[in-house]
Amino acid sequence: MKVTRHIYLDYNATTPLCSEVANVLDRCNRLIFANPSSPYEIAKKTRLEIEKARDQVAKLINCDKNEIYFTSGGTESNNLAIKGYLDYLRNLLYKQSIMARNKRANLHLITSQIEHLSILNVFRYIEKNYKDNYQCMVSYLPVDGSGFVDKGEFRSAIGKDTVLISIMLANNEIGSIQPIEELVKIAKSLNENIIFHCDAVQGLGKMEIDVKKLGVDLLSLSSHKIHGPKGVGALYVRNGVKLFPILHGGHQEKGLRPGTENVCSIIAFGYACEIVRKNLKRNIDIMAKLKEFLKEKLIEELSGMVDLRINSPDKKCLPNTLNVCFNGVDSELLISYLSREGIYVSSGSACTSGLIEPSHVLLAMGIEPELAKNAIRFSLGVENTERDLEEVVKKIKEIIVKNKLN
Amino acid sequence: MLVDSYKIEEILPCLADPEKIRVIASLSDDASEVMPYINSIIKNAIYIKSANAITIPQGEKLITIHPRKIAITRVDDEKEAKKILDEMLKLINDTYEKRNDIEPNYERREKPKVMDIYKLLPQNNCRKCGELTCLAFAVKITEGKASILRCSKLFQAEFSRKRAQILELLQKAGFEIPSAFR
């Protein structure tokens, strides 16, 4: 059977370029080629366009444009924030130690168990490799059954050695939105020198983000989650916060991110931010309604034939993300059957060894390992319709019955 | 004959090795019954009764038989996948034919002892994992019914050494440790 219609429900993985952004990208690719670092007139045009994009990104998260540094995406922003700050701090401590003759210090870092791999694996790397006089030790905070960091646990984890905290704004798999504003207040009230980083990649375009309100020092963003091009993102660095670069080279991005700028993608990312800013409230409404519709349909149509467990929290959740376990239904097989029908969803769990690896997020929430293998993540976009979602639920039902997956 | 045929359902990039593929095939019939017998004759197999799955390492490849599917990692191409799947089908059916002469083994190899895990836990019975005691939590872990991530104290900085030891112990025993914590 040839699939004639595609229904994409994996917007947390990536989003398609929107037509305005595609036009901008196309125009840039044809017309703007000069290296922004070059001294002549046509290079100035490139520089101005990049600065305009910086302003567009800054406006979306309410910061000053000189606090935005363009990177290659969320992963690089996360690496730069964490390693960049620790390298700066360890260097500073080393310089001070020469004067003070105090050559050892433990640096305590805090993150959560449900972070994206581009955070967890950076911390794992640091734990294993930053082992000199300034050894880094990491606490991975647990979450409750709905995927929220416990404020009490958070408070008690902070000690006199704590130097850096990284907690995500919204979780990519289940959509839980962490109380960053309160966590920052707690952290800074205990020790005002703690640097707070927030991975906001999954929140952008799906909720309001105001760095002043959040109070964070560092915040990571990615373009391709908001209908912009892939391979570009940004790191917000609050004025006054110092980082070392993790790449070394020229003076681009004030030396923090050397390398000739990804000019066209940066400009397109800027436009994508502007479009998000204009439509944010409307988009949130549309996505939230669609999600509610999908949730009701799933319960209505499937609860008699399969045990459903909704893993996404009811409140304080991204408006587009619904993570569901179909108890006893192998998610990898269900995804494969759905994809043959032109329906694209994700399991939210990675398969690395042939055994389906249950998602670390669901395990951290206390979901049994076996049940965690039955999770499906629906992540919606404004382009989806109720008709699409009705069709998806109908197909899931058909597939489960036909293949006796339950 | 226990399983009549297989059908390749999915060919995906192998996340562990970008040069290779991973292949998922569905089975026409349920292979659960033969798993403890395969576990008995293949000495490096990892049988997880609660998951109803058996993994057979073959060189760098991992072949996992589930009740109605087989997943293989690090495969060169579809031709190689077919060859392995034919072998697996033969293994399943031959073992099934000879099952009366084989002592089934329901145990996971190197199964960690409850006490080995308990010794490395914080032993403060904080109940945050949902169990009344650390010992009860250790039992749930060995049964594969709880994830080690639920021990919040173990994931605090001061427990990093014990955390590494316990994760290694579990991983060697074939438990699935999320790759972010391996």
Side-chain angles (χ1 to χ4, degrees):
Chain A
M1 189 185 74
K2 195 167 175 281
V3 177
T4 50
R5 197 159 151 260
H6 296 271
I7 304 177
Y8 183 74
L9 302 179
D10 202 13
Y11 282 82
N12 285 8
T14 193
T15 57
L17 276 184
C18 68
S19 58
E20 295 100 313
V21 174
N23 287 340
V24 169
L25 200 56
D26 187 41
R27 178 179 65 84
C28 293
N29 276 322
R30 280 182 292 109
L31 302 175
I32 298 180
F33 81 97
N35 190 326
S37 300
S38 296
Y40 31 77
E41 195 56 30
I42 55 166
K44 193 176 165 193
K45 167 99 173 95
T46 315
R47 281 201 295 279
L48 288 175
E49 291 272 4
I50 289 179
E51 290 318 305
K52 184 177 164 196
R54 202 184 304 282
D55 197 42
Q56 286 165 321
V57 178
K59 279 208 174 86
L60 181 58
I61 61 166
N62 189 29
C63 70
D64 199 276
K65 64 180 271 212
N66 68 21
E67 295 173 307
I68 294 293
Y69 294 81
F70 288 113
T71 66
S72 66
T75 295
E76 190 190 328
S77 294
N78 287 340
N79 272 266
L80 176 58
I82 296 165
K83 283 181 167 172
Y85 180 66
L86 288 174
D87 286 349
Y88 160 76
L89 183 70
R90 283 151 43 90
N91 181 270
L92 182 76
L93 290 171
Y94 176 71
K95 279 188 197 156
Q96 288 172 351
S97 73
I98 296 171
M99 312 285 286
R101 296 186 182 180
N102 170 20
K103 291 202 174 153
R104 287 192 70 85
N106 276 339
L107 305 182
H108 179 226
L109 321 171
I110 298 176
T111 187
S112 84
Q113 287 184 351
I114 63 164
E115 298 295 311
H116 189 260
L117 288 182
S118 62
I119 291 286
L120 289 174
N121 281 336
V122 179
F123 279 115
R124 299 278 290 135
Y125 174 84
I126 282 165
E127 245 179 342
K128 283 183 191 158
N129 295 290
Y130 285 34
K131 279 193 162 169
D132 56 8
N133 287 342
Y134 307 106
Q135 188 175 349
C136 294
M137 317 268 279
V138 185
S139 290
Y140 299 88
L141 293 183
V143 293
D144 64 18
S146 306
F148 296 105
V149 170
D150 183 283
K151 284 173 217 156
E153 290 269 356
F154 178 79
R155 181 185 285 275
S156 61
I158 297 172
K160 63 174 175 33
D161 298 336
T162 309
V163 293
L164 176 70
I165 297 174
S166 178
I167 307 279
M168 70 195 335
L169 182 60
N171 183 268
N172 47 317
E173 289 185 32
I174 54 162
S176 58
I177 297 171
Q178 303 299 337
I180 297 297
E181 197 180 332
E182 292 168 71
L183 298 180
V184 172
K185 276 189 188 136
I186 294 171
K188 301 266 178 183
S189 72
L190 293 170
N191 179 351
E192 60 177 7
N193 294 324
I194 290 176
I195 291 293
F196 202 114
H197 168 254
C198 178
D199 172 4
V201 165
Q202 211 55 250
L204 197 69
K206 298 166 199 155
M207 60 186 286
E208 192 207 345
I209 300 178
D210 179 333
V211 288
K212 299 245 161 60
K213 225 175 184 176
L214 292 174
V216 295
D217 301 294
L218 302 160
L219 183 123
S220 301
L221 301 171
S222 173
S223 150
H224 75 102
K225 309 283 190 194
I226 57 162
H227 303 270
K230 291 162 184 59
V232 63
L235 179 67
Y236 157 77
V237 182
R238 186 174 61 73
N239 275 333
V241 174
K242 293 196 176 71
L243 303 181
F244 271 7
I246 53 172
L247 298 174
H248 303 276
H251 61 274
Q252 293 90 347
E253 300 298 295
K254 293 181 249 169
L256 188 59
R257 207 294 186 171
T260 299
E261 294 86 342
N262 183 0
V263 175
C264 299
S265 296
I266 287 173
I267 296 168
F269 176 30
Y271 270 91
C273 286
E274 190 169 321
I275 293 167
V276 163
R277 194 163 58 90
K278 284 181 184 154
N279 301 307
L280 186 60
K281 287 206 168 68
R282 187 186 69 105
N283 289 355
I284 290 173
D285 274 356
I286 294 173
M287 289 187 283
K289 277 190 189 125
L290 285 171
K291 182 168 96 165
E292 204 45 44
F293 181 83
L294 174 64
K295 194 165 143 186
E296 278 169 18
K297 276 279 157 207
L298 282 171
I299 293 170
E300 195 181 301
E301 295 289 324
L302 297 171
S303 53
M305 55 191 289
V306 60
D307 255 353
L308 277 185
R309 190 201 136 108
I310 308 278
N311 302 317
S312 297
D314 276 343
K315 286 178 184 160
K316 292 178 187 156
C317 185
L318 288 177
N320 78 324
T321 309
L322 186 68
N323 190 308
V324 183
C325 281
F326 298 101
N327 195 354
V329 178
D330 183 311
S331 61
E332 197 163 5
L333 271 187
L334 181 57
I335 288 167
S336 159
Y337 284 120
L338 281 171
S339 116
R340 264 175 257 168
E341 303 283 347
I343 296 167
Y344 309 112
V345 296
S346 141
S347 64
S349 61
C351 171
T352 50
S353 65
L355 286 164
I356 305 163
E357 183 185 306
S359 133
H360 67 283
V361 177
L362 299 178
L363 293 181
M365 287 165 65
I367 293 172
E368 272 198 33
E370 277 317 298
L371 183 58
K373 288 181 187 170
N374 305 148
I376 297 281
R377 176 186 73 183
F378 301 94
S379 53
L380 316 180
V382 286
E383 291 87 348
N384 293 135
T385 62
E386 289 190 355
R387 210 180 120 225
D388 285 346
L389 301 176
E390 257 172 355
E391 174 78 10
V392 169
V393 176
K394 193 178 130 213
K395 286 288 178 202
I396 293 175
K397 196 171 173 181
E398 274 175 26
I399 288 166
I400 292 177
V401 171
K402 193 173 156 202
N403 300 290
K404 298 192 187 104
L405 294 181
N406 57 340
Chain B
M1 186 180 283
L2 182 63
V3 176
D4 184 52
S5 60
Y6 65 83
K7 185 172 153 222
I8 293 184
E9 299 282 352
E10 199 84 66
I11 296 178
L12 301 159
C14 182
L15 300 176
D17 185 346
E19 306 275 298
K20 309 262 167 138
I21 54 170
R22 66 190 166 103
V23 174
I24 295 159
S26 62
L27 297 175
S28 60
D29 307 273
D30 192 325
S32 308
E33 198 184 333
V34 80
M35 288 181 195
Y37 297 93
I38 291 178
N39 190 35
S40 181
I41 54 173
I42 297 198
K43 298 299 175 201
N44 63 343
I46 302 163
Y47 174 51
I48 305 173
K49 191 161 175 264
S50 63
N52 209 2
I54 184 163
T55 297
I56 303 164
Q58 209 175 77
E60 58 170 11
K61 293 179 187 63
L62 287 174
I63 306 158
T64 304
I65 306 174
H66 299 271
R68 292 185 77 105
K69 75 172 184 183
I70 297 181
I72 318 169
T73 60
R74 295 185 194 248
V75 188
D76 288 333
D77 49 31
E78 196 173 337
K79 198 174 149 205
E80 192 192 20
K82 279 189 179 147
K83 191 173 150 265
I84 296 170
L85 286 165
D86 286 338
E87 281 169 19
M88 285 301 121
L89 207 62
K90 190 165 182 300
L91 174 73
I92 289 169
N93 288 323
D94 286 358
T95 312
Y96 184 72
E97 297 305 323
K98 291 182 210 146
R99 68 190 181 284
N100 291 334
D101 304 324
I102 304 168
E103 183 73 34
N105 179 6
Y106 294 91
E107 293 298 308
R108 179 204 297 254
R109 282 190 181 73
E110 290 180 73
K111 187 181 173 188
K113 293 186 180 69
V114 172
M115 284 318 283
D116 291 340
I117 291 178
Y118 176 71
K119 268 188 253 167
L120 294 166
L121 289 174
Q123 301 178 15
N124 61 342
N125 301 332
C126 72
R127 301 187 185 188
K128 282 179 186 156
C129 60
E131 302 301 322
L132 287 174
T133 61
C134 292
L135 191 61
F137 181 63
V139 172
K140 279 267 172 88
I141 292 285
T142 51
E143 289 172 346
K145 287 186 177 158
S147 166
I148 193 68
L149 293 181
R150 291 302 282 171
C151 179
S152 58
K153 200 147 186 80
L154 192 68
F155 282 82
Q156 286 178 12
E158 62 263 37
F159 276 87
S160 55
R161 191 164 294 163
K162 284 192 171 170
R163 188 199 315 151
Q165 285 175 327
I166 214 165
L167 290 176
E168 195 188 335
L169 189 82
L170 290 173
Q171 208 181 338
K172 272 190 184 155
F175 281 84
E176 298 150 27
I177 306 297
S179 51
F181 295 99
R182 248 176 244 150

